């Protein structure tokens, strides 16, 4: 799928640098040419010889190498590729990019290039979460730099959290999407995500424990495959992924309206944990205790079923409608009934009993229920569930254009 494409790959100095070797191999298997650039830090983790052997190319390392300037100057090098990829992108490289520093070959290329730049961050979780890195990432996103990852998980330094470089296959998908070559290129896909908040009064609301992690991961995986993703999210505790169109809402009614406004789409995935009821008449003022132990009376109305309203459309229905079923009992039986009741094509059932640690956690164990039956997937990270689902969605939509 990447035949004839040229990728400049900048390998930064992080423990994930060794995975850049696998990335080179996979890129070449797909027909791409790789122009490798190794930073001084990168060369501490992988040797120029192994990079050059896998890329079947000279490795560029030094800004002031006269032979290189005679063969291909650094400005030319910065423009020779269809895409510039930085993997691993260290905190130091991101900071240099954000500030426009150009003290070595890698940062000079990144400043001089006229091509799109995709970065795959990799660093310790504290470094990723540091306000300086947060600022730099914001700046770079604003500059149009594309991000893939980082993923969450156990890290080489023994800590756990976001900071692991994306898997080589995820980086390849992001490269294909950046080059407009992903299997979902030209497809418009809607994803709902996160909880909804239903106000009681100006300071209180009814909510649920959804973090938005699974919906976010699905949106990111679909975008990596080249889809145009409309991401309608309630107040989630995670930031939305890069590269998607974000529509932030608070209540189920707002989510319903935002979904209707986003139609038509090729596929719609309803990962949001929508509140089933809303308070009939939220108070305009903070409700006060009456001082006598009396309880406030709240009346409820049922919220619109957003998934059902789309799945049961007579005209303009998305070709694929996917729901989730968060259950605590008889997971597969309940989810199978829910699929029929709501009229969606697929439903993804998950067991959200507290002891599973799934709601709000990093992992998920799901059963995909389609018209053909139920398929249980092993417990895996929410990113892996998302990647597998996105692949299935791409297969399903393939050839239907
Ligand atoms: N959903 C929706 N709008 C609602 C309620 C649910 O779009 N008002 C969607 C969810 O995003 C999910 C699916 O419907 O994809 C099932 O959600 P779930 O909470 O499991 O089911 P409910 O319909 O709320 O059924 P119940 O609470 O009775 O289990």
């Amino acid at each position: 799928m990447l035949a004839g494409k040229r990728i400049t790959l900048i390998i930064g100095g992080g423990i994930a640098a060794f995975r850049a070797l696998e990335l080179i191999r996979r890129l070449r298997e797909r027909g791409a040419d790789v122009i490798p650039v190794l930073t001084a830090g990168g060369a501490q983790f992988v040797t120029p010889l192994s990079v050059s052997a896998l890329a079947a190319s000279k490795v560029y390392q030094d800004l002031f190498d006269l032979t290189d300037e005679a063969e291909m100057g650094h400005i030319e090098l910065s423009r020779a590729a269809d895409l510039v990829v930085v993997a691993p992108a260290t905190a130091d490289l991101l900071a240099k990019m954000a500030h426009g520093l150009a003290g070595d070959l890698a940062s000079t290329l990144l400043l001089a290039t006229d091509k799109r730049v995709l970065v795959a961050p990799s660093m310790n979780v504290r470094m990723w979460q540091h306000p300086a890195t947060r600022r730099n990432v914001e700046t770079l996103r604003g500059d149009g730099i594309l991000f893939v990852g980082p993923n969450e998980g156990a890290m080489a330094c023994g800590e756990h959290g976001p900071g692991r470089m994306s898997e080589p296959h995820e980086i390849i998908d992001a490269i294909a999407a950046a080059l407009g070559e992903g299997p979902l290129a030209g497809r418009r896909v809607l994803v709902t995500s996160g909880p909804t908040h239903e106000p009681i009064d100006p300071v209180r609301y009814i909510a649920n424990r959804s973090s938005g992690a699974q919906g976010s991961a699905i949106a990111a995986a679909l975008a990596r495959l080249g889809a145009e993703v409309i991401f309608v999210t309630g107040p989630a505790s995670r930031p939305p992924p890069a590269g998607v169109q974000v529509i932030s809402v608070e209540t189920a009614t707002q989510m319903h309206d935002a979904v209707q406004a986003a139609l038509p789409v090729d596929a719609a995935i309803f990962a949001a944990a929508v509140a089933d009821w809303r308070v009939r008449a939220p108070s305009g003022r903070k409700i006060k205790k009456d001082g006598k132990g009396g309880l406030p009376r709240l009346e409820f109305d049922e919220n619109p079923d957003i998934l059902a309203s789309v799945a049961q459309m007579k005209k303009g229905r998305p070709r694929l409608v996917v729901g989730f079923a968060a259950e605590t009992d008889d997971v597969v039986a309940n989810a199978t009934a829910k699929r029929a009741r709501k009229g969606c094509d697929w439903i993804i059932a998950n067991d959200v009993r507290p002891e599973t640690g799934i709601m709000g956690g990093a992992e998920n164990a799901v059963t995909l229920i389609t018209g053909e039956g139920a398929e249980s997937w092993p417990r895996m990270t929410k990113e892996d569930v998302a990647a597998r689902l996105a692949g299935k969605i791409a297969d399903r939509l393939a050839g239907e254009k």
Side-chain angles (χ1 to χ4, degrees):
M1 80 186 160
L2 295 171
K5 298 290 178 193
R6 293 183 93 185
I7 312 288
T8 293
L9 176 65
I10 297 174
I11 304 171
I15 189 70
F18 78 95
R19 308 217 69 189
L21 299 177
E22 190 188 340
L23 180 61
I24 296 174
R25 185 177 60 74
R26 288 184 181 229
L27 281 168
R28 297 208 58 235
E29 269 170 16
R30 283 164 179 73
D33 284 332
V34 179
I35 307 168
V37 176
L38 195 55
T39 66
Q44 298 292 321
F45 291 91
V46 290
T47 68
L49 188 60
S50 45
V51 173
S52 147
L54 282 164
S57 158
K58 175 183 169 57
V59 182
Y60 295 87
Q61 289 182 270
D62 194 353
L63 181 57
F64 301 108
D65 186 329
L66 288 180
T67 342
D68 289 352
E69 288 297 321
E71 285 171 12
M72 176 154 34
H74 62 270
I75 300 295
E76 201 185 330
L77 184 58
S78 75
R79 300 183 183 170
D82 297 297
L83 183 73
V84 179
V85 177
V86 189
T90 57
D92 179 66
L93 259 174
L94 294 181
K96 284 181 173 140
M97 288 171 72
H99 294 276
L101 299 184
D104 58 13
L105 181 61
S107 53
T108 303
L109 296 184
L110 287 161
L111 196 61
T113 189
D114 59 353
K115 297 299 183 321
R116 296 182 91 186
V117 176
L118 170 75
V119 297
S122 166
M123 67 195 74
N124 166 272
V125 54
R126 298 230 179 264
M127 293 169 78
W128 175 248
Q129 288 170 342
H130 193 282
T133 306
R134 308 280 9 110
R135 275 197 305 276
N136 292 335
V137 168
E138 270 317 295
T139 302
L140 292 170
R141 287 202 165 124
D143 291 345
I145 302 296
L146 304 171
F147 280 75
V148 52
N151 289 347
E152 205 159 304
M155 312 193 60
C157 52
E159 289 184 58
H160 194 282
R164 273 169 71 103
M165 187 170 85
S166 292
E167 299 296 319
H169 71 89
E170 294 173 314
I171 301 175
I172 299 263
D173 288 346
I175 290 172
L179 292 168
E181 302 245 336
L184 287 173
R187 306 289 190 184
R188 201 175 140 85
V189 183
L190 170 85
V191 179
T192 70
S193 181
T196 64
H197 285 181
E198 307 298 331
I200 296 171
D201 66 19
V203 294
R204 305 181 179 98
Y205 55 81
I206 296 170
N208 61 63
R209 294 183 196 280
S210 166
S211 64
Q214 186 63 80
S216 225
I218 292 169
L222 291 164
R224 275 202 306 274
L225 297 187
E228 175 194 355
V229 179
I230 300 109
F231 185 62
V232 180
T233 176
S237 51
R238 303 290 174 84
V244 306
Q245 186 190 327
V246 181
I247 302 173
S248 297
V249 298
E250 192 187 341
T251 66
T253 313
Q254 289 167 358
M255 186 173 275
H256 173 267
D257 294 349
V259 164
Q260 292 296 325
L263 300 175
V265 293
D266 295 292
I269 293 87
F270 293 88
V274 184
D276 289 320
W277 305 279
R278 65 177 176 275
V279 176
R280 178 164 298 159
S283 167
R285 295 190 177 164
K286 186 178 175 209
I287 301 172
K288 293 286 188 191
K289 291 195 283 284
D290 68 2
K292 295 179 229 148
L295 297 177
R297 268 193 74 81
L298 293 179
E299 293 203 84
F300 292 91
D301 283 324
E302 196 171 304
N303 272 327
D305 190 318
I306 308 170
L307 165 64
S309 71
V310 173
Q312 293 168 18
M313 281 170 74
K314 296 276 176 288
K315 270 176 76 178
R317 181 190 190 272
R319 267 163 292 169
L320 181 64
V321 177
V322 183
F324 271 75
E327 306 289 346
T328 53
D329 311 281
D330 300 329
V331 178
V332 173
N334 275 332
T336 305
K338 201 170 269 183
R339 173 178 171 273
R341 194 166 67 240
K342 302 221 181 200
C344 53
D345 303 299
W346 299 351
I347 207 153
I348 296 161
N350 56 5
D351 183 345
V352 292
R353 280 174 302 147
E355 57 269 34
T356 64
I358 283 173
M359 209 148 187
E363 291 185 337
N364 208 350
V366 306
T367 302
L368 172 66
I369 298 165
T370 69
E372 281 87 57
E375 176 185 309
S376 288
W377 297 357
R379 191 175 171 118
M380 56 180 94
T381 64
K382 290 183 175 174
E383 278 86 9
D384 286 342
V385 169
R388 194 154 163 178
L389 177 65
K392 284 199 172 272
I393 292 170
D395 289 347
R396 171 67 190 260
L397 293 182
E400 277 188 18
K401 215 167 185 177

